[in-house]
């Protein structure tokens, strides 16, 4: 993908184009007021017109709205850290959003390019108001939104179920989210407003050409609301199979909902997915487990809202820089390539690179092996995941990485045994041999630890460990023991830091500051590691969220 300096796209629309906006074609001529501006709906990650707080607010306060998406050059260079496949999925979503507006007789979605503040400023200078849906972002997005609010008067409309501007955001948080899920969706009447647009010469195709966006990933889903709604309908019909399909990567490929990228880009709202499942899915474990995942989505997004530092700093100061002194670029590269000598990890990493998808358990496994066994700095691994995942969401990816690595200070560190995961989640070797084909001739009994296969077996099948497939890059048992000792030496101090209000606010535990202080009181002493081997199939419930 080309950098912003190489892209041959102007900042658009220019001020003259904005000033020349006429009344919408959809408004009756008797009601046309071409000199009267309206309200710009600035779409970012809420790429739908249904249950959209910004669209509903704009339609309520203006006779004329203009839906706008700004292609920010920062998203298309190294700062954006997005693979081409995720960008292509975004472009699908934008084309679908354009159709949504045209389906209600509007002018469609206006595409802009440039610094969002500069682009929006041209509309504000011409007399337009600007609204956007409030969302949790990292530092860049937070600074951008603060500039938009302070310099341009952009109004950010709440409506995502998160708690803002509260001294204790986790107080009665579950009740708040339950009430939000049960509330009526945001609605608007397209007949009551004119949906305007302005020609800019910018569209997803032009942007893809300018920035040389061309994905090489396979099996990438089609983006957009229509595709998301079809996945939701299909998943609801088979939701009873969900509990047995989430841990094995083979079963999860078709057994999970596949909705995460559609939720990440806001093609569907969490609330409408919840309502659809609540009203149409049969009662049972599958339904309750999936609903808990929707709470999980809001829970971790609340964490990023409460502290944007999740993206680049250890939430618990005691763990700041943990593993930094052990950074080994060769180990990191082997992990990224899927050449660690641990077949389940290697298969997962190759699957991630090839498809942009990985089920939750395999994400946790790869993070655990990277941080606990290879003992490498967490952020490099988290950034790699964020780059390649089609559903890469800062609020989910980075909070999950820190939680899995154990950087919060809570008890219950989960270390995954990559060999046990082969035996438990891929006993027939289907996933491993699909993504690590050099191991396909090896008998299934040896796929968990190829290096232990007898030399006679290796010669017979033509798989020589150390040649066709690498030896493990580290000794698992020795590395695990070493990590436990290192981690345990500081865990008591980390638990004690949770008792400090600043750290407790950063952690944003489901039980709030009081829960963090309770951990500090009970666990805040030197030498307590509380590490467990993660191997079962149990899933996190809402009460376990950290």
């Amino acid at each position: 993908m080309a950098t912003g300096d190489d892209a041959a796209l102007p900042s658009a629309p220019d001020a003259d184009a904005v000033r020349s906006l006429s009344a919408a074609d959809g408004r009756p001529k008797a009601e046309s007021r071409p000199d009267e501006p309206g309200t710009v709906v600035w779409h970012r990650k809420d790429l739908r017109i249904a249950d959209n707080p910004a669209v509903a607010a704009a339609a309520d306060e203006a006779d004329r709205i203009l839906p706008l998406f700004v292609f920010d050059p920062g998203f298309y260079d190294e700062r954006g850290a997005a693979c081409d496949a995720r960008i292509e999925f975004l472009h699908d979503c934008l084309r679908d959003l354009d159709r949504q507006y045209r389906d209600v007789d509007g002018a469609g979605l206006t595409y802009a390019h440039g610094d969002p503040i500069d682009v929006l400023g041209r509309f504000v200078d011409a007399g337009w108001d600007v609204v956007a849906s409030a969302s949790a972002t990292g530092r860049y997005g937070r600074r951008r939104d603060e500039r938009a609010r302070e310099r341009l008067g952009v109004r950010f409309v709440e409506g995502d179920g998160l708690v803002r501007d509260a001294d204790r955001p986790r107080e009665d948080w579950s009740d708040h989210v339950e009430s939000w899920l049960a509330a009526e969706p945001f609605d608007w009447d397209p007949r009551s407003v004119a949906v305007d647009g302005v020609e800019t010469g910018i569209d997803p195709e032009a942007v893809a050409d300018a920035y040389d966006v061309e994905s090489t990933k396979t099996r990438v889903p089609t983006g957009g609301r229509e595709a998301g709604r079809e996945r939701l309908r299909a998943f609801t019909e088979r939701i009873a199979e969900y509990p047995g399909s989430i841990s094995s990567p083979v079963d999860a490929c078709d057994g999970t909902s596949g909705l995460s990228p559609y939720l990440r880009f806001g093609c569907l709202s969490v609330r409408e997915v919840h309502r659809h499942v609540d009203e149409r899915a049969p009662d049972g474990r599958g339904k309750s487990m999936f609903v808990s995942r929707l709470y999980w989505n809001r829970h971790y997004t609340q964490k990023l809202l409460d502290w944007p530092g999740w993206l680049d700093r250890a939430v618990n100061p005691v763990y700041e820089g943990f593993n930094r002194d052990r950074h080994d670029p060769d180990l990191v590269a082997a992990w990224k390539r899927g050449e660690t000598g641990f077949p389940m990890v290697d298969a997962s990493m190759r699957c991630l690179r090839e498809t942009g998808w990985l089920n939750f358990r395999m994400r946790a496994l790869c993070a655990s092996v990277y941080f606990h066994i290879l003992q490498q700095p967490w952020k490099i691994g988290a950034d790699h995941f964020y780059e390649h995942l089609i559903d890469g969401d800062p609020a989910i990816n980075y909070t999950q990485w820190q939680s899995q690595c154990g950087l919060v200070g809570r008890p219950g560190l989960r270390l995954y045994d990559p060999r046990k995961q082969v035996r438990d989640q891929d006993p027939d070797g289907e996933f491993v041999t699909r993504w690590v084909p050099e191991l396909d001739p090896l008998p299934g009994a040896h796929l968990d630890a190829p290096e232990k296969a007898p030399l006679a077996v290796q010669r017979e099948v033509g798989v020589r460990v150390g040649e066709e497939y690498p030896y493990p890059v580290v000794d698992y048992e020795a590395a695990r023991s070493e990590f436990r000792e290192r981690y345990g030496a500081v865990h008591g101090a980390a638990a004690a830091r949770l008792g400090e209000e600043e750290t407790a606010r950063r952690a944003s535990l489901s039980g709030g500051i009081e829960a963090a202080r309770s951990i500090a009181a009970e666990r805040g002493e030197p030498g307590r590691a509380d590490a467990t081997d993660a191997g079962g199939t149990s899933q996190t419930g809402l009460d376990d969220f950290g």
Side-chain angles (χ1 to χ4, degrees):
M1 185 163 60
T3 65
D5 292 339
D6 296 328
L9 284 182
S11 180
D14 61 26
D16 289 340
V18 173
R19 285 193 296 266
S20 68
L21 273 170
S22 61
D25 294 337
R27 180 186 297 158
K29 291 183 179 180
E31 299 179 16
S32 293
R33 288 168 288 180
D35 296 329
E36 181 180 330
T39 298
V40 171
V41 179
W42 180 22
H43 284 276
R44 291 100 62 77
K45 56 182 292 185
D46 51 343
L47 306 182
R48 64 183 185 278
I49 65 174
D51 197 21
N52 187 315
V55 175
D60 183 60
E61 66 188 24
D63 295 324
R64 191 179 180 197
I65 68 173
L66 186 145
L68 177 74
F69 183 86
V70 183
F71 291 101
D72 184 344
F75 188 72
Y76 288 82
D77 61 21
E78 65 277 2
R79 291 173 294 165
C83 66
D84 283 3
R86 185 156 87 242
I87 291 176
E88 288 184 352
F89 186 93
L90 164 65
H91 290 182
D92 283 346
C93 298
L94 293 172
R95 284 185 282 265
D96 184 272
L97 179 60
D98 177 65
R99 286 192 295 269
Q100 292 175 50
Y101 278 110
R102 294 183 187 279
D103 285 346
V104 295
D105 296 326
L109 179 66
T110 292
Y111 299 111
H113 176 262
D115 184 318
I117 305 305
D118 293 342
V119 171
L120 295 172
R122 295 168 198 149
F123 285 93
V124 172
D125 290 345
W128 289 76
D129 296 323
V130 181
V131 299
S133 297
S135 60
T137 67
R139 297 185 193 278
Y140 171 79
R142 184 168 291 200
R143 289 194 296 267
R144 176 202 61 204
D145 290 355
E146 287 174 353
R147 290 167 59 211
R149 182 185 296 107
E150 294 170 2
R151 290 174 48 183
L152 305 177
V154 174
R155 182 161 66 93
F156 293 92
V157 186
E158 298 179 13
D160 55 5
L162 305 182
V163 177
R164 293 175 171 81
D165 302 321
D167 183 58
R168 293 287 193 270
R170 289 297 185 169
E171 190 171 306
D172 300 322
W173 184 85
S174 293
D175 293 340
H176 170 84
V177 174
E178 286 181 12
S179 297
W180 173 74
L181 289 171
E184 290 299 313
F186 292 101
D187 197 13
W188 64 294
D189 183 358
R191 297 169 299 181
S192 68
V193 293
V195 179
D196 280 359
V198 57
E199 180 56 47
T200 64
I202 304 295
D203 59 28
E205 289 72 26
V207 171
D209 288 343
Y211 288 97
D212 194 23
V213 176
E214 186 175 358
S215 173
T216 58
K217 295 192 188 305
T218 61
R219 300 179 62 185
V220 177
T222 300
R225 181 172 177 79
E226 181 179 355
R229 285 173 61 85
E230 179 54 39
R231 281 184 176 263
L232 176 59
R233 285 191 292 267
F235 172 68
T236 303
E237 293 176 356
R238 52 180 168 78
I239 200 169
E241 303 169 9
Y242 181 62
S245 302
I246 56 180
S247 295
S248 163
V250 174
D251 296 337
C253 185
D254 296 317
T256 53
S257 72
L259 293 174
S260 55
Y262 301 95
L263 292 172
R264 184 261 184 266
F265 285 105
C267 306
L268 304 172
S269 74
V270 171
R271 177 162 54 191
E272 72 173 304
V273 171
H274 178 272
R275 175 165 292 197
H276 183 94
V277 169
D278 185 56
E279 293 178 350
R280 305 191 184 194
D283 291 337
R285 185 164 174 252
K287 179 177 180 178
S288 61
M289 182 178 288
F290 180 74
V291 167
S292 77
R293 287 299 180 92
L294 297 177
Y295 278 90
W296 178 93
N297 176 288
R298 294 295 82 194
H299 168 73
Y300 282 98
T301 306
Q302 181 74 53
K303 283 180 178 288
L304 182 61
L305 178 65
D306 291 344
W307 189 58
W310 282 95
L311 274 61
D312 49 34
R313 295 174 59 191
V315 64
N316 193 308
V318 170
Y319 295 124
E320 188 68 39
F322 201 84
N323 283 350
R324 185 181 297 159
D325 61 336
R326 293 167 178 263
H327 179 214
D328 183 335
D330 290 337
L331 283 180
V332 172
W335 177 80
K336 288 181 177 181
R337 292 193 306 266
E339 296 177 359
T340 66
F342 298 111
M344 199 65 151
V345 174
D346 293 343
S348 296
M349 295 304 295
R350 297 183 195 187
C351 177
L352 171 65
R353 189 175 65 246
E354 174 72 19
T355 70
W357 173 88
L358 205 55
N359 67 316
F360 178 80
R361 179 170 288 271
M362 294 305 105
R363 298 186 196 195
L365 164 67
C366 292
S368 175
V369 169
Y370 174 88
F371 190 76
H372 303 146
I373 307 305
L374 304 186
Q375 300 183 68
Q376 295 302 295
W378 74 273
K379 189 176 184 302
I380 298 173
D383 286 345
H384 183 74
F385 265 45
Y386 182 67
E387 175 187 352
H388 284 279
L389 287 167
I390 306 301
D391 65 3
D393 185 335
I396 306 299
N397 183 65
Y398 290 93
T399 57
Q400 277 293 292
W401 259 84
Q402 291 216 42
S403 298
Q404 175 57 49
C405 291
L407 302 180
V408 179
R410 297 180 72 232
L413 180 70
R414 293 176 65 81
L415 291 101
Y416 281 78
D417 182 338
R419 297 165 302 188
K420 187 175 187 299
Q421 291 302 308
V422 175
R423 298 191 295 269
D424 289 352
Q425 309 304 339
D426 193 31
D428 297 327
E430 181 178 348
F431 183 71
V432 166
T433 55
R434 163 67 176 85
W435 294 105
V436 189
E438 58 266 38
L439 291 179
D440 187 36
L442 197 66
H446 300 296
L447 286 177
D448 61 335
E451 76 280 4
K452 295 182 180 180
L455 293 178
V457 173
Q458 295 184 37
R459 286 194 296 269
E460 179 182 351
V461 301
V463 177
R464 292 171 294 276
V465 176
E467 297 182 26
E468 284 80 14
Y469 185 72
Y471 283 103
V473 291
V474 297
D475 180 288
Y476 174 78
E477 283 76 13
R480 180 181 63 177
S481 177
E482 181 186 29
F483 179 85
R484 280 177 159 174
E485 182 177 350
R486 294 175 54 235
Y487 187 83
V490 297
H491 180 69
R497 288 296 290 268
L498 280 176
E500 299 175 4
E501 184 158 331
E502 181 181 356
T503 306
R505 287 184 179 277
R506 286 181 176 190
S508 186
L509 303 182
S510 57
I513 292 176
E514 293 73 18
R517 288 173 174 165
S518 177
I519 291 172
E522 295 176 8
R523 307 276 180 167
E525 58 187 64
R528 185 191 292 270
D530 291 315
T532 60
D533 288 316
T537 58
S538 62
Q539 295 297 309
T540 303
L542 184 59
D543 293 340
D544 299 320
F545 288 163

